[in-house]
């Protein structure tokens, strides 16, 4: 079975790697090259930026430490979930009457962007625009979902509440008290989407390099130079698109987010009789627990369950076992199913739950921190980064440019999250 290269085995047995479309290995950058824009990172953010820039006729060199789609973009749940974690009213109150509505439109429209790119570039990634269901575990959570639904409806979005019966019919389980369906969303094969973006960017003229970790960024008044082990790119602008895998590059950027491992497990194909009893409409719900569960089937009818993970190997295994158990509680008919896949990757959390768009110097901009909701948002952020690299004034971008502020006591945050997660788990079990 194909596994994720250069990853701990406990996180490497990915369904998506095992079912990926054939992809060419992109060679490392060797020697000195020039481009209008250097893009660092080959996930959705970087690939979308490269594609939009190449489509606009700019020369682009993209540097990826491993291969395109190696990070979260090739490992996630494939749920296309429109909007930010914060509700539209909150975003507009915080960012004002001009930028606020533009941020809401950009984030709410990220599903349109994803499905449009897939259609326009003929990306084979099992895209299904069936809507995104949020399933409520408590009446209080349901009231909050109704409120979110009303806010989106006021802005003309196709978002509707579901009662308990409708939710049970769509999910095939009576575990939830109701839900909200956002018809702008859907699901896809995440790695094949990333690989398709890479091919589309290359067709438009972008040059993509794998095995090319950026190790340094230096700028003069006229240009910025990005260095790798064997080469360098000199460009007018550089975009950093490394999300939870940023590490020490361009400090303090990596300390503006807390990387957290999210894990998933998947069965063998269930077969039609069993498969038709679970998520019969092909939806990909996530629930309202603090430690949320997200689940779906793939195009071949494998059941997939995901949730927040841990850092140590033993606790990652325990999380994966807990996800299998949670699946069987939701769907007792899964007992005895063969669980072939178990994998994970890092999401980037921010302290205000908003992604960050940070200008680090006159020629360098970064976009990251999607808080586990990046299939749509990272694609949309890549487009915004591409607009900035084409000299769009910052005030005209559809997302706020903010300073890159390191999270206080960053070193302790990842460990602290383990304690918070345990507390959240208790509150979830109590239904609070
Ligand atoms: C298990 C899991 C499940 C998820 N489920 C969902 C979901 O269902 N729906 C959803 O919307 N979101 C989901 N997410 C989040 C989503 O996957 C991410 O938000 C999104 O993929 C981020 O894209 P990105 O391009 O910014 O980062 P990534 O895809 O992580 O890409 C960053 C890339 O940068 C490269 N890199 C790092 N440093 C360097 C360097 N110095 N030089 C060159 N390259 C470098 C890395 O190798 C990596 O490939 C999930 C994430 C995980 C891990």
């Amino acid at each position: 079975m194909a596994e994720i290269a250069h990853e701990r085995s406990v996180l490497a047995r990915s369904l998506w790697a095992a079912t990926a479309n054939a992809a060419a290995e992109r060679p490392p950058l060797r020697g000195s090259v020039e481009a209008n824009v250097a893009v660092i990172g080959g996930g959705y953010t970087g690939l979308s930026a490269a594609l939009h820039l190449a489509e606009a006729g700019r020369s682009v060199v993209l540097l990826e430490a491993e291969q395109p789609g190696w990070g979260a973009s090739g490992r996630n749940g494939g749920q296309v979930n429109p909007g930010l974690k914060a509700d539209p009213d909150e975003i507009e109150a915080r960012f004002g009457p001009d930028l606020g509505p533009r941020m809401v439109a950009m984030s709410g429209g990220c599903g349109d962007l994803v499905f449009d790119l897939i259609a326009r570039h003929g990306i084979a990634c099992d895209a299904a625009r069936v809507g995104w269901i949020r399933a409520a575990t408590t009446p209080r959570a349901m009231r909050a979902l109704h409120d979110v639904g009303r806010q989106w409806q006021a802005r003309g979005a196709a978002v509707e509440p579901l009662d308990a019966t409708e939710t049970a019919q769509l999910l095939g389980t009576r575990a939830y008290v109701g839900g909200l369906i956002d018809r702008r969303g859907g699901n896809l094969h995440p790695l094949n989407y990333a690989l398709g973006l890479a091919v589309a960017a290359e067709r438009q003229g972008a040059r993509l390099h794998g095995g090319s970790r950026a190790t340094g960024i230096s700028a003069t008044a006229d240009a910025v130079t990005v260095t790798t082990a064997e080469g360098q790119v000199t460009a007018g602008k550089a975009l950093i698109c490394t999300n939870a895998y940023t590490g020490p590059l361009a400090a303090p950027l990596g300390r503006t987010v807390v990387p957290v491992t999210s894990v998933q497990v998947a069965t063998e194909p269930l077969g039609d009789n069993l498969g038709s009893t679970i998520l019969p409409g092909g939806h990909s719900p996530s629930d309202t627990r603090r430690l949320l569960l997200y689940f779906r089937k793939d195009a071949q009818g494998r059941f997939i369950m995901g949730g927040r993970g841990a850092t140590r190997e033993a606790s990652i295994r325990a999380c994966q076992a807990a996800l299998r158990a949670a699946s069987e509680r939701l769907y007792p008919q899964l007992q005895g199913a063969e669980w072939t896949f178990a994998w994970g990757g890092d999401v980037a959390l921010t302290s205000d739950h908003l992604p960050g768009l940070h200008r680090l110097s006159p020629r360098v901009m970064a976009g990251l921190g999607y808080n586990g909701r990046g299939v749509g948002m990272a694609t949309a952020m890549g487009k915004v980064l591409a607009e900035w690299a084409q000299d769009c004034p910052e005030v005209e971008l559809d997302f706020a440019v903010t300073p890159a502020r390191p999270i206080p006591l960053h070193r302790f945050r990842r460990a602290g999250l383990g304690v918070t997660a345990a507390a959240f788990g208790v509150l979830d079990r109590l239904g609070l």
Side-chain angles (χ1 to χ4, degrees):
M1 180 201 301
E3 298 194 348
I4 301 169
H6 306 143
E7 181 53 276
R8 287 187 286 169
S9 63
V10 71
L11 294 175
R13 261 187 308 126
S14 159
L15 164 62
W16 309 125
T19 56
N21 296 332
E25 284 262 305
R26 271 76 182 187
L29 174 71
R30 296 205 167 95
S32 300
V33 297
E34 291 186 1
N36 295 137
V37 184
V39 176
I40 304 170
Y44 302 140
T45 309
L47 292 168
S48 165
L51 172 56
H52 284 100
L53 283 162
E55 279 189 311
R58 300 301 196 275
S59 62
V60 187
V61 172
L62 181 147
L63 303 171
E64 163 55 49
E66 298 286 341
Q67 289 292 323
W70 179 87
S73 299
R75 312 176 183 207
N76 60 70
Q79 301 195 350
V80 183
N81 302 345
L84 295 161
K85 291 260 163 152
D87 299 337
D89 284 356
E90 196 181 327
I91 296 293
E92 292 187 6
R94 176 164 164 194
F95 292 97
D98 172 37
L99 180 56
R102 285 192 286 124
M103 285 175 70
V104 169
M106 176 267 208
S107 56
C110 67
D112 291 338
L113 178 66
V114 167
F115 290 106
D116 178 56
L117 285 173
I118 290 168
R120 204 147 48 82
H121 296 282
I123 297 175
C125 61
D126 301 322
R129 200 167 193 184
V130 289
W132 166 40
I133 295 176
R134 276 188 263 188
T137 49
T138 63
R140 187 163 65 176
M142 191 61 235
R143 285 193 293 278
L145 285 182
H146 274 203
D147 184 44
V148 178
R150 273 191 296 273
Q151 292 184 35
W152 280 117
Q153 282 170 353
R155 290 161 177 88
V159 180
E160 292 142 33
L162 301 168
D163 65 23
T165 308
E166 290 165 324
T167 306
Q169 276 163 357
L170 291 172
L171 268 56
T173 171
R174 298 208 154 271
Y176 296 100
V177 299
L180 188 73
I181 185 161
D182 186 333
R183 299 194 190 278
R184 302 168 298 177
N187 55 63
L188 45 71
H189 185 304
L191 179 53
N192 283 341
Y193 173 51
L195 296 175
L197 288 176
V199 170
E202 283 175 327
R203 281 201 194 119
Q204 299 296 319
R207 287 166 280 169
L208 271 53
H209 291 282
S212 300
R213 180 175 295 282
T215 50
I217 303 173
S218 59
T220 63
D222 304 322
V224 54
T225 299
V226 182
T227 313
T228 67
E230 299 175 79
Q232 63 175 39
V233 190
T234 301
K237 298 262 175 73
L239 304 176
I240 305 182
C241 310
T242 46
N243 205 40
Y245 296 93
T246 301
L249 186 73
L253 186 64
R255 284 184 286 124
T256 66
V257 296
V258 180
V260 173
T261 305
S262 183
V263 294
Q264 289 179 87
V265 291
T267 65
E268 284 294 288
L270 297 177
D272 289 346
N273 282 348
L274 176 53
S276 62
T277 65
I278 296 173
L279 300 169
H283 294 94
S284 48
S286 49
D287 72 20
T288 57
R289 266 171 257 258
R290 288 178 186 79
L291 293 179
L292 68 84
L293 296 174
Y294 52 94
F295 44 102
R296 58 172 291 189
K297 294 184 294 188
D298 77 350
Q300 288 72 40
R302 299 176 184 89
F303 181 77
I304 307 162
M305 174 62 83
R308 190 64 53 74
T311 44
R312 293 211 184 86
E313 187 150 329
S315 31
I316 290 172
R317 282 189 206 289
C319 278
Q320 290 167 340
L323 290 176
R324 289 188 280 267
S327 306
E328 290 177 5
R329 277 197 300 279
L330 276 182
Y331 299 107
Q333 61 271 49
L334 284 174
Q335 276 162 26
E338 200 180 333
W339 294 90
T340 311
F341 303 96
W343 74 101
D346 283 358
V347 301
L349 305 188
T350 58
S351 47
D352 61 1
H353 309 295
L354 280 178
L357 177 62
H358 306 306
R359 190 168 51 67
L360 303 173
S361 69
R363 294 184 178 278
V364 181
M365 185 79 97
L368 77 177
Y370 307 104
N371 294 279
R373 207 188 274 183
V375 178
M377 265 311 291
T379 308
M381 190 66 99
K383 183 166 181 268
V384 169
L385 287 166
E387 282 157 7
W388 176 79
Q390 293 171 78
D391 299 326
C392 176
E394 281 174 25
V395 290
E396 289 178 23
L397 296 174
D398 287 339
F399 203 86
V401 179
T402 51
R405 286 210 185 88
I407 294 174
L409 301 175
H410 182 268
R411 209 147 56 88
F412 303 107
R413 285 299 165 120
R414 199 165 175 154
L417 279 169
V419 178
T420 314
F424 278 176
V426 172
L427 292 173
D428 283 336
R429 280 193 293 280
L430 293 171
L432 297 174

